[in-house]
Amino acid sequence: MRPLRLPVLLGTNRKERKSVFAARWLVGEMKKRDDLETRLFDTADFDLPQRDYGQEIKNAFPEWRDAIVEADGLVIVSPEYNHGYPGPLKAVLDLLLREYVHKAVAFVGVSAGPWGGVRVIEAMVPMVRELGLAVTFTDLNFPYVQRTFDQAGQLLDPAFEQRAKDFLDELVWMASILRWGRENVASKYHG
C-alpha cells in the first residue's frame, strides 16, 4: 500500500514567527516514517491577490491545488492570534473546497503562552468541518514555543518526540480509514 500523502500547511506569514520551528520539526519527524509522505506549504509563499478570493482563483496556485487533490489529509500548524487563526491561513484554505472532502485534518497549535494554541484549534474546527475535512482526536500543542525551540529551531524538549508520534499515529489511522472509504464507498463527492 502506498504511503499516505499528508502535506503540512504553516498558517502564518508574520515575520520572526516561531511556529515555523514547530512546522519544520514536525515535517522532519514525518519524513522519518515509511507510512507517509509530506511536504511543507507556507502561507508566506502564497502571493494572494488583494482584490479576489476563494475557489475562483485556485488555478493560480497549482502546486497547492494538486497536492490537496492527491492528499489523504492535511496538517495545519497555526499560532493563535487574539484567540483566532491568521487571515492568510483562512485565505489559503478557502482556495479549495471539494478537494478536501472526506480527508483527515490534524492541528498543531503554537503559542508564546501556556495554552499551546488550544483556542486557535477550537476556532478552526467549525471552519474545516465546513470544508469537508474530518478532524482528528489528537492535537499537538506547543506552549511557550520560544522555550521549546532554540534560536536555530532545534527542539529543546525531547518529550515532544513521543507527543508527535502519538499525534501522527492518530492521523495515520484516521487518514487510512478515510482513504479506504473514498476508494470503496460511493458518495456524491467520491465515486
Side-chain angles (χ1 to χ4, degrees):
M1 183 152 84
R2 75 163 170 81
L4 293 163
R5 294 181 182 125
L6 300 169
V8 174
L9 177 60
L10 174 56
T12 180
N13 60 355
R14 188 176 275 186
K15 290 182 181 179
E16 299 188 31
R17 59 205 172 150
K18 302 295 185 230
S19 53
V20 70
F21 296 153
R24 288 178 182 157
W25 178 79
L26 182 63
V27 166
E29 292 299 293
M30 293 171 77
K31 287 183 176 184
K32 293 176 185 176
R33 296 178 63 128
D34 294 332
D35 55 350
L36 56 89
E37 297 173 357
T38 192
R39 174 181 172 189
L40 179 61
F41 286 89
D42 187 336
T43 57
D45 296 333
F46 286 74
D47 188 16
L48 296 164
Q50 294 299 307
R51 300 195 180 273
D52 206 353
Y53 189 85
Q55 297 174 62
E56 293 77 20
I57 61 170
K58 70 180 173 186
N59 293 328
F61 304 94
E63 286 184 71
W64 172 248
R65 179 201 60 219
D66 296 347
I68 297 302
V69 166
E70 295 296 320
D72 296 298
L74 176 63
V75 176
I76 299 173
V77 179
S78 182
E80 181 178 310
Y81 296 154
N82 303 317
H83 294 217
Y85 43 82
L89 173 60
K90 181 73 164 83
V92 169
L93 289 172
D94 282 349
L95 291 171
L96 306 173
L97 185 58
R98 287 195 179 252
E99 295 85 351
Y100 298 121
V101 173
H102 299 147
K103 295 180 181 180
V105 63
F107 295 117
V108 178
V110 180
S111 71
W115 307 113
V118 296
R119 292 178 295 208
V120 72
I121 292 170
E122 289 175 348
M124 284 190 288
V125 168
M127 181 257 297
V128 299
R129 284 190 65 213
E130 184 62 24
L131 295 173
L133 290 160
V135 179
T136 61
F137 177 75
T138 304
D139 303 325
L140 184 58
N141 303 89
F142 287 93
Y144 299 111
V145 68
Q146 69 279 10
R147 294 186 220 161
T148 306
F149 296 92
D150 68 17
Q151 291 295 71
Q154 297 301 309
L155 184 69
L156 298 173
D157 185 349
F160 281 93
E161 293 171 4
Q162 184 62 48
R163 293 176 195 160
K165 181 189 179 310
D166 295 343
F167 168 83
L168 292 171
D169 287 348
E170 169 69 13
L171 175 57
V172 165
W173 183 88
M174 193 159 173
S176 297
I177 297 301
L178 289 167
R179 179 169 72 182
W180 182 90
R182 287 190 315 277
E183 292 173 352
N184 294 286
V185 179
S187 79
K188 69 180 185 175
Y189 297 109
H190 300 283

